[in-house]
Each structure stands twice: as structure tokens, then as C-alpha cells.
Amino acid sequence: MSESPIVPSFDSPGSEGRKLAIICSKGNLDMAYPGLILANAALGEGVETHLFFTFWGFDIINKATMADLKFSFVGNTAMHLPGHSGLGIHHMLGALPGATAGATAFMKKQIADLDVPEVPEFLDLLSGSGCHMWACKMSADMNHLTMDDLYEGVEAIISASDFIEKTEGAQLLFI
Amino acid sequence: MPTTTIAGHEVEVNDEGFLTKPEQWTEDLAPELAKLIGLELTEDHWSLIRFLRSDFAAQGETATLRRVSAQSGTPVKQIFALFPAKPAKKLAYVSGLPKPKGCV
């Protein structure tokens, strides 16, 4: 029996000031989730987290598209039926009419079955957890979008250099 | 598994200090566990602790932050205010439960 209780080191000095920056550059459903999930995990560990949405990643925070991201298996040679890793599906079958809609509906169901929220609600979760969300200026200009078009948790439309400045010392992920 | 004494109760803990036997947790242990991690429990803390305990009893695993928020109707922001920086783990610790395993 130990004298003083063993206590988890929740506030270990080593993690003090840790920052994570994630650049979300893709707008496919299956490419949106990794960034959101990792951001959520980091926030839950007390890590200051910044997301930078750029190029197709803009669709994740564009109010017109964020609830309607799609999953296509064209070009994904690793595609197989869920739970049947040995049974490949030829990725070009994904080009058939309706394949993307079907694959998207299926993936959304799998995600919902795990009690993981859809993209807009996921953004609410991140926002409530104190996530910093930034939109890329060049992407906004290319798409003729302003702050009014974007998810309300986005703090500002900023340039790439501003993002680099804000995330000084951060660990960085490009997705 | 090491044992340790908290508030006069001998409990089994893992090498991080989390209780390994949820049934060894009692309500009078919670304020002591909270004190060890620098928290003082209010009624708002207690409602989350009670939710986590009953959800664990029903589900067999510790609820994630998102589940705690969605099922108890408590905004995530408020959970962060009550259990700062690492809310899911701190809540689990005070509740005598394992760390949540889910990703979201």
C-alpha cells in the first residue's frame, strides 16, 4: 500500500503551451473527418488547436456545402466492403450513376452508428471546446465567399502568412 | 495493481492513479479525488458525475465528452469550465471510472 495516493498528472508541465495546427484542404466526407476528429481529441487534451480551411477544405465550413459532403470511391484502390477487407470493389464502379450517393449514405450511416455527429454538429462541438477556426483568404476570393457564407465559429478569413504567424511553435498536420 | 488509501478507503488504482474497480467508488470519495486534482465540487460537477456513473452502469464503458454533453444536455463549454483542460479524463477520474476509450 502506498503512502500518498497516485494521482494522474493532468497538468504535466511538459504539455504546457502545446499547440496543434491542422490544415484541412479536402472536401470529401472521408477527408473531412480525420481533421475534425484529431482536433476534437487535441482539444479534449487541453491542447490549443487551430484549423485552417483551404481549397476544397472550404466546403467543410461553407454553410452551403458543409452538411452535404460526399464520399466517392473512384480513385480509391483500397476500397472494399466494410468488414470484408479481402473483397475489393473496383474503384471505377464508383463512377456509375448513383454510386457516390449510395457510398455517401452508407458512410454517413456508419459514422452515425458510432454516435459521431455530422459535420455541422461536429463544428459546434469543436467550437464549444474552444477550437480556433480560420478560413483561407485565397480560397474565399476564388469562391467569392465572405464571412456571411461561412460557419459562425470561423473567427476570420486570413492569409497563409497570418496563419503561419498565429501557429508559431505549433505541431502541424496537413490533411 | 497498486492499492492506495483515499479518504480512509482502500482502493485499487492503475499506474496512472485511476480507480480500476468502479464498485470501490463511493460518493464520499469524489470530493477527495477532486481535491487531488485541484477541483472543488459543486452541484454542477455532481450532476455530471451522476450522469457518468449511471451511463457507465448502463453502457459498460465511460462516456466520451461528446456523449456526456449530448446525453446530459450540458453544453461542451460548460463541461470545459467545470473540468478544465482535460474534461473527459478529469470527470472520469473523479467518478472512479476508466478513461473514455471512444475517439469522439
Side-chain angles (χ1 to χ4, degrees), chain A:
Chain A
M1 196 173 89
S2 54
E3 288 295 315
S4 61
I6 308 163
V7 182
S9 53
F10 288 122
D11 306 299
S12 66
S15 64
E16 192 85 355
R18 187 172 169 194
K19 277 166 93 168
L20 176 67
I22 305 178
I23 299 172
C24 301
S25 74
K26 305 241 172 26
N28 306 61
L29 186 64
D30 55 321
M31 292 305 281
Y33 273 100
L36 303 180
I37 290 166
L38 288 165
N40 181 55
L43 291 160
E45 288 298 305
V47 177
E48 180 183 324
T49 305
H50 295 258
L51 295 181
F52 187 62
F53 297 92
T54 186
F55 275 75
W56 307 113
F58 230 69
D59 281 4
I60 300 170
I61 49 161
N62 182 346
K63 283 191 260 191
T65 50
M66 63 186 199
D68 197 29
L69 302 184
K70 301 214 164 34
F71 167 59
S72 166
F73 51 94
V74 177
N76 180 4
T77 54
M79 185 64 199
H80 56 75
L81 289 167
H84 300 271
S85 305
L87 295 174
I89 299 175
H90 196 279
H91 70 107
M92 286 313 294
L93 289 175
L96 293 172
T100 295
T104 300
F106 196 86
M107 181 172 279
K108 281 196 172 187
K109 187 183 176 301
Q110 286 182 301
I111 290 168
D113 285 349
L114 294 176
D115 202 23
V116 172
E118 294 218 20
V119 171
E121 197 193 331
F122 211 134
L123 294 175
D124 290 343
L125 174 64
L126 296 180
S127 197
S129 305
C131 188
H132 297 281
M133 302 185 197
W134 309 103
C136 160
K137 178 157 191 337
M138 182 176 156
S139 306
D141 291 347
M142 278 166 67
N143 293 293
H144 308 292
L145 295 170
T146 66
M147 283 294 282
D148 290 342
D149 302 300
L150 304 178
Y151 173 71
E152 57 269 25
V154 173
E155 284 172 54
I157 297 173
I158 62 172
S159 69
S161 2
D162 285 345
F163 178 72
I164 295 297
E165 199 174 33
K166 283 180 192 301
T167 56
E168 183 180 348
Q171 293 167 311
L172 194 138
L173 279 175
F174 181 87
I175 297 176

Side-chain angles (χ1 to χ4, degrees), chain B residues 20-81:
Chain B
T20 52
K21 293 188 172 163
E23 65 276 13
Q24 289 184 337
W25 181 91
T26 51
E27 291 215 346
D28 59 333
L29 211 52
E32 299 299 323
L33 292 166
K35 205 185 292 171
L36 289 172
I37 58 167
L39 293 176
E40 195 169 323
L41 299 184
T42 64
E43 194 43 47
D44 288 340
H45 291 94
W46 271 109
S47 73
L48 294 177
I49 293 168
R50 293 196 186 99
F51 165 77
L52 204 71
R53 291 290 304 186
S54 68
D55 193 65
F56 182 87
Q59 304 290 325
E61 60 179 27
T62 307
T64 60
L65 178 66
R66 132 98 178 150
R67 183 173 167 84
V68 173
S69 172
Q71 299 287 319
S72 72
T74 315
V76 173
K77 210 176 229 177
Q78 192 184 329
I79 305 177
F80 267 92

